[in-house]
Amino acid sequence: MKKVNLAAVFFAALIIFCGCKAKEQNNMEIKSDKTITFINGATEADVWIMPETEENLKTSLWGTPLIPKIKTGENRQAPLCEPGDDSHYIVRLIDTDGFYYSAKGITLEDGWALKITGEKTDSVVIEVTDEDVCLKGTYNVFCARL
C-alpha cells in the first residue's frame, strides 16, 4: 500500500476548492499618466478600480488595492489604467467592518472624480463628475457583509 502525503493532498484540495492558483492573482500594472480622484464619503476601505473585462468580472482575486485604507472624508488621486473593451470600469471596496461594495459600468476619464456616499444598505451610490465638477453619472453600489 502506498503512503499518501497528507500535506500535498490538503494543498491540492485547497487549490481545487478555491478555484485559483497564486499566478492568477490580478496584480494589474498601471502604465498611464491619467489620474482620477477618489472621494470617500462612506467608510474606511481598500479600493480597487479596474477595467470592466470578462476576466475582471469573474475573478475574486484583485491584487493590491489601487487606493489602500482610505479614510472617511479623505480624497486621493489614483492612476487610471486603460479601460476594458467597452470603455467601462468596475469599482470594488472592502471596508474595515468586512463589508464588500461593488459597482460596474462606470465611465471614467482623465481628471474625473468618483465620490462614494451612503450607509451599508441599498443607499450606497457613486457619483462621477468631470474636471469641471459636472455630474457625468450616478451608479448604484451593491453592498453586502463578507
Side-chain angles (χ1 to χ4, degrees):
M1 181 186 269
K2 291 184 180 180
K3 290 186 178 181
V4 177
N5 184 336
L6 291 178
V9 171
F10 178 73
F11 183 73
L14 277 177
I15 290 173
I16 292 167
F17 288 117
C18 289
C20 60
K21 297 177 185 160
K23 69 179 185 176
E24 292 177 6
Q25 186 167 353
N26 184 3
N27 280 318
M28 190 178 354
E29 284 188 41
I30 299 175
K31 297 176 183 176
S32 174
D33 58 352
K34 298 176 183 178
T35 61
I36 52 93
T37 301
F38 187 85
I39 305 162
N40 188 0
T43 183
E44 182 176 345
D46 290 328
V47 179
W48 292 261
I49 301 171
M50 304 173 285
E52 186 174 319
T53 63
E54 197 65 32
E55 180 182 356
N56 285 341
L57 288 168
K58 290 182 178 180
T59 188
S60 60
L61 297 173
W62 312 324
T64 305
L66 182 66
I67 307 168
K69 298 187 186 343
I70 186 168
K71 297 187 183 313
T72 305
E74 187 178 354
N75 303 344
R76 284 204 209 154
Q77 277 200 326
L80 180 65
C81 60
E82 292 301 316
D85 297 335
D86 65 359
S87 299
H88 292 112
Y89 291 87
I90 304 165
V91 176
R92 293 183 173 149
L93 294 85
I94 297 179
D95 75 12
T96 55
D97 293 328
F99 279 83
Y100 162 77
Y101 303 78
S102 180
K104 65 181 184 175
I106 297 175
T107 302
L108 294 173
E109 292 187 22
D110 185 30
W112 287 16
L114 288 89
K115 181 178 184 179
I116 187 167
T117 57
E119 299 292 324
K120 295 172 183 147
T121 65
D122 295 334
S123 66
V124 180
V125 296
I126 291 176
E127 294 178 335
V128 175
T129 55
D130 65 13
E131 58 278 345
D132 296 322
V133 196
C134 293
L135 184 64
K136 300 307 273 184
T138 301
Y139 304 88
N140 291 322
V141 177
F142 169 80
C143 178
R145 189 165 195 90
L146 293 175

